[in-house]
Amino acid sequence: MADRQKEIPKALKFVFGGSAGMMATLFVQPLDLLKNRMQLSGVGTAKKEYTSSFQAFRGIIANEGVFALYNGLSAGLLRQATYTTTRLGVYQMLFDMASRDGHPPNFATKAAIGMAAGVCGAFVGTPAEVALIRMTSDGRLPAAERRNYKNVVDAMMRICREEGVLALWRGAIPTMGRAMVVNAAQLASYSQAKQVLASYDFFEEGIFLHFCASMISGLITTAASMPVDIAKTRIQNMKYVDGKPEYTGALDVLGKLVKNEGVFALWKGFTPYYCRLGPHTVLTFIFLEQLNATYKRYAA
């Protein structure tokens, strides 16, 4: 009876997932901004703005101030409240449904569950994602071309008013495609890495195990998802010139990117991407595991 009482309610799994993502974002928002700036480097200019992540980091602080690293924080938090809440909640529910007699599902099932959860989360979180991309990239533009959104609410209201409601879902297809790749890689690889590591006597259930599994998951996810992520970022940040969009779709972005900047540009900003995704993965799962453990420990 006590075990049933300590079972985490499904609704609370959604809350814990979103809360864990939001707490992690407070730490990694500067890295998210840096990642977006690196992916947009060279767009609309004759040459790359930054030659390295360190140069970008230093340039942002010198030109915009330290607090500029947290531009778009409100959008980042809303993204986690929508995207992460949905994807982790759906993943946990599907994971439990696919488990049999206390045994977790196999890797292929984990990957399929991760993809389904990612698509659901991406659709719900795309409006906040659009606002985040624009708010974090605004500082790189000349003063006359900046959008100057005050916060995520102002951004979404202005987008609706100036571009139409559907503009909030601009880039939804590549965003959902990215989410499929990210979640299949991140959620499945985290579960699998944790399961494999736990089979060794050296690892015991706790933060160190969660940290190691998260770092492995973050590395795999970064390598797999970067090309889709850069396409998503450029589409959501693009402007219309004489009524025509800069890109017609994700394939157009990737084609022009490879043609103009080379194949390796598909992984442009690998370091800040992993520096953002790796720690965010680590912190999200650590916070999530701790929230779950706290509930089970103190639930009546």
Side-chain angles (χ1 to χ4, degrees):
M1 185 67 176
D3 289 338
R4 290 184 61 84
Q5 289 178 327
K6 291 184 179 181
E7 180 68 25
I8 301 174
K10 288 182 172 59
L12 204 54
K13 289 180 180 180
F14 280 77
V15 175
F16 283 175
S19 297
M22 292 175 74
M23 287 187 281
T25 293
L26 293 174
F27 291 89
V28 304
Q29 178 66 19
L31 297 170
D32 207 10
L33 182 141
L34 185 62
K35 184 267 294 184
N36 290 338
R37 294 288 183 93
M38 287 293 293
Q39 289 186 332
L40 293 169
S41 177
V43 176
T45 63
K47 61 179 181 179
K48 292 194 298 183
E49 297 160 75
Y50 310 115
T51 58
S52 69
S53 302
F54 179 73
Q55 184 198 32
F57 181 77
R58 189 171 57 181
I60 291 169
I61 292 178
N63 298 325
E64 303 170 50
V66 174
F67 292 111
L69 294 171
Y70 275 89
N71 284 349
L73 178 60
S74 61
L77 292 174
L78 181 61
R79 180 179 65 174
Q80 296 305 319
T82 52
Y83 170 66
T84 302
T85 296
T86 303
R87 75 179 181 117
L88 288 183
V90 170
Y91 182 81
Q92 286 289 341
M93 287 197 303
L94 294 178
F95 187 93
D96 291 343
M97 290 172 61
S99 299
R100 293 289 182 271
D101 300 322
H103 297 290
N106 58 37
F107 184 80
T109 303
K110 290 175 185 173
I113 291 172
M115 292 172 70
V119 168
C120 294
F123 182 78
V124 174
T126 294
E129 184 88 22
V130 172
L132 175 66
I133 295 299
R134 294 185 177 194
M135 292 174 74
T136 54
S137 64
D138 215 28
R140 61 180 287 274
L141 299 172
E145 297 180 20
R146 294 177 185 174
R147 296 181 171 100
N148 294 317
Y149 298 137
K150 298 176 183 177
N151 50 54
V152 66
V153 175
D154 178 55
M156 294 173 70
M157 290 180 64
R158 282 184 50 190
I159 291 171
C160 288
R161 185 170 64 248
E162 298 168 9
E163 305 170 52
V165 175
L166 293 181
L168 289 173
W169 276 271
R170 179 175 294 166
I173 292 177
T175 299
M176 293 164 73
R178 170 191 175 275
M180 290 177 67
V181 176
V182 166
N183 286 276
Q186 186 185 64
L187 296 175
S189 62
Y190 174 79
S191 297
Q192 193 71 16
K194 181 182 173 186
Q195 184 177 330
V196 172
L197 292 175
S199 67
Y200 294 92
D201 294 336
F202 180 74
F203 290 95
E204 297 180 354
E205 183 66 27
I207 290 180
F208 182 65
L209 172 60
H210 305 159
F211 173 82
C212 292
S214 296
M215 289 304 292
I216 294 171
S217 173
L219 184 61
I220 294 171
T221 304
T222 298
S225 65
M226 277 205 71
V228 188
D229 187 74
I230 195 170
K232 173 199 71 68
T233 298
R234 293 198 175 189
I235 287 174
Q236 291 177 330
N237 187 65
M238 72 178 179
K239 292 185 177 181
Y240 281 70
V241 180
D242 297 327
K244 296 181 179 180
E246 294 178 67
Y247 307 106
T248 58
L251 292 179
D252 185 40
V253 174
L254 297 177
K256 289 179 179 177
L257 186 66
V258 172
K259 180 181 178 180
N260 298 327
E261 303 175 48
V263 175
F264 290 109
L266 294 173
W267 286 270
K268 178 187 287 187
F270 185 93
T271 300
Y273 189 103
Y274 179 66
C275 286
R276 183 265 174 198
L277 185 61
H280 193 274
T281 302
V282 171
L283 291 169
T284 297
F285 282 117
I286 286 177
F287 285 136
L288 182 59
E289 296 275 10
Q290 295 307 305
L291 287 170
N292 289 339
T294 300
Y295 178 86
K296 290 178 180 179
R297 186 180 304 120
Y298 295 107

